[in-house]
Amino acid sequence: MENKSLTIFRALSSLLLTYLTTCITVLIGFIGHFFYWLVFDLCGLDQQRTDRKLNVPPKSSSSPNEYYSLIIGSGFSGLGMAIKLKQLGTDNFTIIERHGHVGGTWYANKYPGCACDVPSNLYSFSFEPNPNWSYFFSRQPEIGEYLEQCAKKYDISRHVQFHTTVTEMRWLEDRQLWEVTVRSNDKETKLYAKTVFAGYGPLSIAAFPNDIKGIDTFEGEMCHTAEWNKNIELKNKRVAVVGTGASAIQVVPEIHKAGVEKLYVFQRTPAWVIPRADRKVSDFEKRLFARFPIIQKFVRALIYWIRESTALSFAYRLPTRFLYQTVVNIHLKRQIKDEVLRKKLTPSFDLGCKRVLITNDWYPTLQQPNVQLITNRIQEVKPHSIVTRDGDEYPVDVIIWSTGFQVQNFPLPIYGVKGRSLAEQWSQTMQAYRGVTVPNFPNLFFLLGPNTGLGHNSVVVMIEAQIQYIAEALLYMAENKKQTLEVKQKVHDDFNRKLQLKLKNTVWQSGGCHSWYQDAKGNNTTIWPDFTWMYILLMKKFDSVNYVY
């Protein structure tokens, strides 16, 4: 009885201290937010920048395949960049989109249960709030609809070339242009652009395991969560889901609800799981947000600073990390009563080292009588079964691969100055200056490029900061009559050396795990290792002295 009382006391103390730390961080954040608003909004500094225009010549009918800008992808990054170009006063751009709709990742990923793990009010453009979100955490269809509405409102859709894929990019030194080869309907075309924005999205190309033999011999139905086949029949089938990451924890409960006979979940590494504080948004709240947008802005800021507070644990490794981990451990113990299963689901690494998963359905589903968690690694796939390395064989009719994306493999052949290959330049590790520009590749800008992904907040915040920086760069070029822009090699190298030193002390690099944030050599090429507000301030002004023209 005494031990139980002590456990309850420790749990309540940890919870109280966690809330207290978060509240203090949020309060400090709001004070900083106020001064930011005072300087940039009230004093009109941002408005002064908004009034500047590019004065780009309109599209020439004599050169139908030549543009001022070409954007790859029409997700948050691509649409955001297109909207900014419109605001800068130019229509002379095109967007290349391999799907038939705008939306990028949020159009492509249509597996059952697909939803965002960042609250809706924060996972949206700051300049285009949506008062009509149905849930606190939006589902995939509604995010897709939101992006479609943005494209329609800002007249972006007419600029998009749908069902078109970029197959190669090559810098033409004599013309000071990018030659972009695109394929559509099995036909290749050459497009030309002064500037190119790569908003292809790091979570866009499905990754299949390369260490399992026999996948091609499977005679049942099979698909990847990122390439969902809606015609797959799940009812009364023996289904295997391979992977227990962010997609799996959403799709597994939905697959179970479909009435499967048996559900096998193959886990390589357990993840830390926290509850999803989700709910339906009432009609009253929607009307309130529509009538008083300032209230929705306040809610957005509150969510932002709550999530930003976790950087104290993840990036700065302050003792608050022990409080967070204690609270999450308590959640695991409350949810999983079976000690054997709980041991299988308990990570051996620090909270945050791998992506923290947000769900209310994962643990309950794994405890259903027709669900089995398998932690032995897969050795082989046979025509009607999966065999693990300890020799156990599991008969299956359907395999769902939930094995992530090809984050570390850049999907596009790009050749810069003197034919320099980007794949060759990135063969040791993927690097970019501030995640946006790369030496030897003039007028090429990445959106959500290397080390600008997040493990604690909304990437839309990072995208908007990058768009602001790129806009400043374009304005500088136009106002100073510069044709090309390229980051200095030393500036690029110094920035990435300091960034990697910073990363070494974060949970994402020293938390005791190997994650998809890292490449095969252990270099973290994905995560921004600090507060996002520091990145926002860093990207506020274009640092022209660090570039050659």
Side-chain angles (χ1 to χ4, degrees), residues 69-90:
S69 293
L70 183 144
I71 301 169
I72 304 173
S74 66
F76 271 100
S77 297
L79 286 180
M81 193 67 241
I83 292 168
K84 175 58 72 173
L85 287 173
K86 287 265 191 178
Q87 291 172 348
L88 292 175
T90 179

Side-chain angles (χ1 to χ4, degrees), residues 454-477:
L454 295 176
H456 71 290
N457 216 322
S458 170
V459 292
V460 180
V461 171
M462 303 294 278
I463 291 168
E464 290 194 22
Q466 289 162 12
I467 291 171
Q468 167 69 26
Y469 181 80
I470 292 169
E472 290 291 315
L474 298 178
L475 288 165
Y476 179 88
M477 290 173 67

Side-chain angles (χ1 to χ4, degrees), residues 47-227:
Q47 187 61 43
Q48 293 169 21
R49 288 175 172 170
T50 303
D51 291 340
R52 296 156 68 197
K53 301 298 180 184
L54 279 174
N55 297 319
V56 172
K59 185 83 174 60
S60 172
S61 57
S62 61
S63 303
N65 287 349
E66 190 170 318
Y67 301 87
Y68 171 72
S69 293
L70 183 144
I71 301 169
I72 304 173
S74 66
F76 271 100
S77 297
L79 286 180
M81 193 67 241
I83 292 168
K84 175 58 72 173
L85 287 173
K86 287 265 191 178
Q87 291 172 348
L88 292 175
T90 179
D91 258 348
N92 190 355
F93 65 89
T94 189
I95 303 174
I96 307 301
E97 173 54 58
R98 62 191 174 111
H99 297 111
H101 293 266
V102 300
T105 296
W106 292 106
Y107 174 77
N109 284 267
K110 296 182 177 179
Y111 60 84
C114 182
C116 189
D117 56 9
V118 175
S120 312
N121 284 318
L122 185 57
Y123 200 82
S124 50
F125 291 123
S126 62
F127 58 83
E128 191 59 38
N130 176 20
N132 296 311
W133 293 116
S134 299
Y135 289 88
F136 192 70
F137 288 87
S138 291
R139 279 54 171 168
Q140 174 270 330
E142 198 164 17
I143 299 174
E145 288 172 12
Y146 169 77
L147 292 172
E148 289 270 12
Q149 289 166 6
C150 288
K152 183 177 180 181
K153 177 177 178 179
Y154 292 93
D155 191 26
I156 302 299
S157 297
R158 66 185 176 91
H159 295 273
V160 186
Q161 299 186 37
F162 292 109
H163 299 296
T164 305
T165 305
V166 177
T167 58
E168 183 184 275
M169 284 174 46
R170 193 173 294 272
W171 175 250
L172 303 180
E173 192 70 40
D174 56 337
R175 297 181 62 185
Q176 302 285 280
L177 292 173
W178 280 102
E179 180 186 78
V180 183
T181 306
V182 299
R183 177 179 288 275
S184 180
N185 296 322
D186 295 324
K187 180 183 177 182
E188 285 198 340
T189 308
K190 305 286 188 185
L191 304 179
Y192 300 90
K194 181 177 179 180
T195 55
V196 173
F197 309 108
Y200 57 90
L203 305 181
S204 59
I205 301 176
F208 291 85
N210 54 16
D211 59 348
I212 299 174
K213 66 179 183 179
I215 292 177
D216 294 339
T217 68
F218 186 66
E219 295 180 4
E221 293 187 280
M222 181 169 62
C223 76
H224 194 287
T225 49
E227 300 170 351

Side-chain angles (χ1 to χ4, degrees), residues 397-416:
D397 306 304
V398 178
I399 299 178
I400 306 298
W401 300 98
S402 186
T403 45
F405 302 87
Q406 297 181 36
V407 178
Q408 303 298 337
N409 296 325
F410 188 69
L412 177 61
I414 301 180
Y415 302 94

Side-chain angles (χ1 to χ4, degrees), residues 26 30 293-305:
V26 169
F30 266 106
I294 189 68
I295 296 176
Q296 191 171 19
K297 285 187 177 181
F298 173 80
V299 172
R300 179 187 174 94
L302 181 62
I303 297 167
Y304 171 81
W305 286 111

Side-chain angles (χ1 to χ4, degrees), residues 201-369:
L203 305 181
S204 59
I205 301 176
F208 291 85
N210 54 16
D211 59 348
I212 299 174
K213 66 179 183 179
I215 292 177
D216 294 339
T217 68
F218 186 66
E219 295 180 4
E221 293 187 280
M222 181 169 62
C223 76
H224 194 287
T225 49
E227 300 170 351
W228 187 257
N229 179 2
K230 63 180 181 181
N231 296 318
I232 282 185
E233 180 60 49
L234 299 171
K235 189 173 183 180
N236 298 324
K237 296 294 180 69
R238 298 165 298 183
V239 181
V241 176
V242 182
T244 53
S247 299
I249 59 106
Q250 293 180 346
V251 77
V252 164
E254 297 302 315
I255 289 174
H256 182 261
K257 292 174 187 175
V260 296
E261 177 187 321
K262 186 73 176 181
L263 179 55
Y264 300 105
V265 179
F266 290 84
Q267 171 185 277
R268 181 173 291 188
T269 309
W272 289 109
V273 174
I274 62 176
R276 184 187 186 91
D278 196 15
R279 62 176 179 81
K280 277 191 171 184
V281 179
S282 68
D283 291 338
F284 171 75
E285 288 174 280
K286 294 176 185 178
R287 290 194 299 270
L288 191 68
F289 289 159
R291 183 75 180 272
F292 304 104
I294 189 68
I295 296 176
Q296 191 171 19
K297 285 187 177 181
F298 173 80
V299 172
R300 179 187 174 94
L302 181 62
I303 297 167
Y304 171 81
W305 286 111
I306 289 173
R307 295 183 76 94
E308 194 76 340
S309 69
T310 58
L312 294 171
S313 170
F314 294 166
Y316 287 88
R317 310 295 280 136
L318 297 186
T320 50
R321 70 183 191 269
F322 300 118
L323 297 176
Y324 289 132
Q325 193 152 314
T326 299
V327 170
V328 177
N329 252 322
I330 292 168
H331 173 66
L332 173 62
K333 289 178 180 177
R334 285 185 61 202
Q335 290 279 306
I336 306 294
K337 302 301 182 184
D338 183 274
E339 290 187 12
V340 175
L341 180 59
R342 189 193 308 152
K343 186 176 180 180
K344 290 181 179 180
L345 293 169
T346 303
S348 59
F349 50 84
D350 292 349
L351 176 72
C353 186
K354 284 178 178 279
R355 186 172 176 179
V356 178
L357 306 182
I358 305 176
T359 175
N360 297 325
D361 304 325
W362 177 244
Y363 288 154
T365 301
L366 292 180
Q367 296 175 86
Q368 295 300 312

